[in-house]
């Protein structure tokens, strides 16, 4: 009797295990991937335009594989921010609705927060989804729901699209003229005036890199503030070895260090601590 009970229990456990195996090991049906919002590939976009509901407008264009702003200022564009903008072209469309008058009004697409053109593809940006991290957009004759990370209206303001690097990528300082000191690269070695034997090559190279990779925390149009002093950089293009001189105006050293590039009509704002590192090899 006891042996028969054990046999029945074993059979029951076997049935349960087989059932679990069927449930967890059978192939699952995968949902088809969401269709991209447009047929554009980000690398094929050559120009972009952003029009805001308040009347602001930004125009951008790719020139020699680099993006630049054309409006409202002419300046270098941030590679990272442009890449973020271009992800809108391939944003995953989780929902498609007819662009009826009622739907356009319902999702605030009749008066969009902004409209983006990537080449000739027009994309209107409407309201945020009530529960999901997603936004309604209009492209073609359909309303789509795309991830909010692909639509960041505040980031599309021109100030946020500006390249915050002081120097263009691929340009290296070969001479730096400061208010109190100058450096020049000759035959692979830095010469300093006035001479300072206590400085090590590592200190000098770190100082040059401070200028080479300087990145502002904000970039603004020129405020017409008076010039406090000036810095001159001799820059060499890595691709061609050609050199040119860039003159920078110091507008402030505290509480912020502000440099003005007249060729771009832009101010680059740094912290006071960064300013000390840029004006003094020892960062003092």
């Amino acid at each position: 009797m006891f042996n028969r009970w054990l046999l029945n229990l074993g059979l029951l456990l076997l049935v349960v295990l087989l059932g679990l195996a069927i449930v967890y090991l059978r192939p699952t049906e995968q949902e088809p991937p969401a269709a991209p919002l447009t047929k554009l590939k980000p690398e094929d976009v050559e120009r972009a335009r952003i029009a805001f509901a308040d009347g602001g407008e930004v125009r951008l264009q790719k020139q020699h594989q680099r993006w630049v702003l054309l409006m409202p200022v002419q300046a270098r564009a941030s590679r990272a921010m442009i890449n973020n903008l271009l992800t809108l072209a391939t944003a995953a469309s989780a929902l498609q609705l007819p662009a009826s008058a009622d739907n356009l009004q319902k999702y605030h697409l009749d008066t969009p927060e902004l409209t983006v053109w990537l080449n000739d593809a027009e994309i209107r940006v409407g309201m945020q989804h009530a529960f999901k991290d997603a936004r309604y957009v209009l492209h073609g004759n359909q309303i789509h729901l795309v991830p909010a990370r692909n639509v960041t209206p505040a980031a599309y303001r021109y100030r946020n699209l500006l390249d915050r690097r002081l120097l263009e990528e691929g340009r290296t300082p070969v001479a730096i003229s400061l208010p109190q000191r100058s450096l020049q690269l000759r035959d692979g070695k830095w010469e300093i005036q006035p001479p300072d034997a206590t400085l090590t090559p590592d200190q000098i190279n770190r100082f040059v890199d401070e200028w080479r990779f300087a990145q502002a925390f904000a970039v603004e149009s020129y405020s017409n503030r008076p010039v406090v002093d000036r810095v001159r950089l001799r820059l060499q293009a890595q691709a061609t070895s050609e050199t040119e001189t860039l003159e920078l105006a110091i507008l402030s050293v505290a509480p912020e260090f502000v440099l003005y590039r007249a060729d771009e009509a832009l101010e680059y704002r740094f912290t006071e601590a960064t300013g000390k590192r840029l004006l003094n090899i020892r960062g003092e």
Side-chain angles (χ1 to χ4, degrees):
M1 184 72 180
F2 181 71
N3 289 338
R4 182 177 296 176
W5 182 83
L6 288 177
L7 177 61
N8 291 336
L9 179 61
L11 291 173
L12 179 61
L13 289 174
L14 180 61
V15 171
V16 171
L17 291 173
L18 288 173
L20 291 174
I22 291 172
V23 171
Y24 289 102
L25 297 181
R26 69 182 179 183
T28 58
E29 294 183 0
Q30 294 184 351
E31 293 185 4
L37 177 62
T38 77
K39 296 180 180 180
L40 277 173
K41 295 180 180 179
E43 60 270 22
D44 294 334
V45 180
E46 299 287 336
R47 64 188 187 281
R49 177 185 165 208
I50 306 164
F52 295 89
D54 62 9
E57 185 173 335
V58 177
R59 291 179 184 262
L60 304 111
Q61 186 172 340
K62 184 159 61 172
Q63 298 178 355
H64 309 294
Q65 302 305 311
R66 294 182 181 179
W67 281 88
V68 297
L69 279 88
L70 302 178
M71 272 186 62
V73 298
Q74 296 185 19
R76 293 172 286 127
S78 164
R79 185 190 299 270
M81 298 303 293
I82 293 300
N83 288 341
N84 178 68
L85 170 64
L86 297 182
T87 63
L88 182 56
T90 53
S93 173
L95 174 71
Q96 294 86 42
L97 296 172
S100 65
D102 288 343
N103 282 340
L104 291 176
Q105 185 176 15
K106 178 179 178 181
Y107 300 114
H108 298 180
L109 289 163
D110 55 340
T111 54
E113 182 175 348
L114 72 156
T115 303
V116 178
W117 288 266
L118 301 177
N119 288 349
D120 295 321
E122 179 180 333
I123 303 164
R124 295 188 192 179
V125 178
M127 67 180 288
Q128 180 90 14
H129 191 280
F131 307 109
K132 297 180 180 179
D133 190 24
R135 272 186 178 266
Y136 293 97
V137 302
L138 174 68
H139 174 59
N141 294 316
Q142 284 190 317
I143 296 171
H144 304 259
L145 186 65
V146 300
R149 66 177 180 272
N150 296 124
V151 191
T152 50
Y156 298 162
R157 294 289 181 178
Y158 89 90
R159 287 183 177 86
N160 295 320
L161 293 171
L162 292 170
D163 191 344
R164 297 183 182 182
R165 296 174 303 177
L166 178 64
L167 305 180
E168 293 87 342
E169 186 178 357
R171 299 175 80 192
T172 303
V174 292
I176 302 174
S177 179
L178 304 171
Q180 305 298 328
R181 189 184 297 274
S182 64
L183 301 85
Q184 185 167 349
L185 187 64
R186 294 184 186 274
D187 300 323
K189 183 178 180 181
W190 285 98
E191 296 180 357
I192 301 177
Q193 295 295 332
D196 188 342
T198 65
L199 290 172
T200 67
D202 285 344
Q203 285 178 303
I204 298 171
N205 288 331
R206 280 196 300 269
F207 175 72
V208 174
D209 281 345
E210 288 282 354
W211 280 99
R212 181 181 178 187
F213 299 110
Q215 182 162 310
F217 67 79
V219 182
E220 305 282 350
S221 299
Y222 181 42
S223 62
N224 293 314
R225 283 188 282 181
V227 175
V228 175
D229 219 323
R230 297 187 184 274
V231 174
R232 288 180 179 83
L233 305 178
R234 189 70 177 167
L235 302 172
Q236 184 177 69
Q238 294 176 345
T240 63
S241 296
E242 294 181 354
T243 63
E244 60 180 313
T245 299
L246 174 65
E247 183 172 291
L248 303 168
I250 301 173
L251 304 182
S252 172
V253 294
E256 295 176 356
F257 181 65
V258 182
L259 289 171
Y260 167 51
R261 279 192 60 160
D263 62 321
E264 296 179 332
L266 294 174
E267 294 181 4
Y268 291 78
R269 297 167 56 193
F270 304 86
T271 64
E272 183 178 353
T274 299
K276 290 180 179 179
R277 294 197 302 272
L278 291 172
L279 293 180
N280 191 307
I281 294 180
R282 293 186 173 85
E284 299 169 351

